[in-house]
Amino acid sequence: MTPTRLPLALTTATIMLATTLCATATAYAEDDPSVPPGTEATASAPVEVDANDPDLKIPEGATLAEPKVLDIKQVVEDQSGDERREDTNADVKFALQAEVLFGKDSAKLGAESKARIAAIADEIKTQNATKVRVFGFTDNLGSSAHGDSLSRRRANAVHDILDTELNDPNITFEVRGYGEQYPIADNSTESGRKKNRRVEVSFPRTEG
């Protein structure tokens, strides 16, 4: 009787081993997993809307406004904050902090600043722009008259380099000094005043 029981015992052990191996098989992420719990799509609206609500209806005789493309602005600023570029659908604008271009209370350009202005001139050429605006700004320290004069002289200095780099009689410039007007940061802090002391160069973007 013993020889006949041995195969049965071996068969039972084999089945148990196979069951154990199947139970400990490694799991892998599915190629097409289901959505996370709680994010399943629902056929019902999250908020019930009353189709007869008078606030949702156009008054009698009224018409919808003409559709228009919204102007999207993209702003890129270097880590130091010394230079900022703004791109919209219509224009390109570069803003250079005065400390990068000039000495304190000065309108004389440094050697490094000319390379920055030359890079802006290259972008003007790329955009085939024929109208360029160069605007100078200061913080609110000192007299308003002094700020107006300093910002104008700084704008003129940047214009002179751009004009030389571009060397194109078809390009017209608008050069202005606005002094402490149109701040872009808080003048009550030095970090804000530093941002306000700037020269902006802007020009139209190439259509298409």
Side-chain angles (χ1 to χ4, degrees):
M1 296 298 291
T2 303
T4 59
R5 290 180 180 177
L6 183 59
L8 179 60
L10 289 174
T11 302
T12 304
T14 302
I15 294 173
M16 290 178 65
L17 177 61
T19 304
T20 303
L21 289 175
C22 290
T24 59
T26 304
Y28 294 94
E30 298 178 7
D31 292 333
D32 187 20
S34 59
V35 297
T39 61
E40 298 87 354
T42 174
S44 60
V47 178
E48 186 175 347
V49 178
D50 182 3
N52 297 316
D53 190 330
D55 292 334
L56 298 179
K57 295 183 178 181
I58 299 177
E60 187 176 350
T63 58
L64 292 173
E66 289 293 326
K68 65 178 181 178
V69 178
L70 296 178
D71 196 12
I72 300 174
K73 179 187 289 186
Q74 179 183 20
V75 180
V76 178
E77 188 175 83
D78 64 10
Q79 254 187 340
S80 63
D82 293 341
E83 183 173 338
R84 186 179 73 256
R85 172 174 175 157
E86 297 181 6
D87 288 84
T88 67
N89 298 341
D91 298 293
V92 179
K93 180 196 292 183
F94 288 90
L96 297 172
Q97 288 189 359
E99 281 80 353
V100 178
L101 302 174
F102 311 98
K104 185 176 181 180
D105 204 30
S106 170
K108 183 178 181 180
L109 288 165
E112 183 183 348
S113 64
K114 295 179 180 180
R116 289 180 179 265
I117 298 171
I120 295 176
D122 289 340
E123 183 64 19
I124 294 172
K125 294 175 184 177
T126 299
Q127 297 294 338
N128 295 316
T130 57
K131 294 181 179 179
V132 180
R133 298 175 293 272
V134 185
F135 297 160
F137 304 87
T138 64
D139 57 30
N140 65 346
L141 298 181
S143 69
S144 177
H146 177 72
D148 291 345
S149 174
L150 180 60
S151 64
R152 184 168 55 252
R153 288 186 286 118
R154 286 176 168 177
N156 283 331
V158 173
H159 159 263
D160 290 345
I161 300 299
L162 283 174
D163 195 24
T164 300
E165 291 289 333
L166 294 169
N167 191 26
D168 187 345
N170 295 317
I171 295 178
T172 58
F173 290 87
E174 182 183 356
V175 185
R176 296 185 181 182
Y178 286 100
E180 64 186 57
Q181 299 182 69
Y182 309 109
I184 59 174
D186 186 358
N187 267 317
S188 66
T189 66
E190 176 52 30
S191 60
R193 290 191 294 270
K194 184 178 180 181
K195 286 182 176 292
N196 291 332
R197 298 189 294 265
R198 69 197 189 279
V199 175
E200 295 181 352
V201 179
S202 59
F203 45 90
R205 172 181 294 284
T206 301
E207 294 184 4

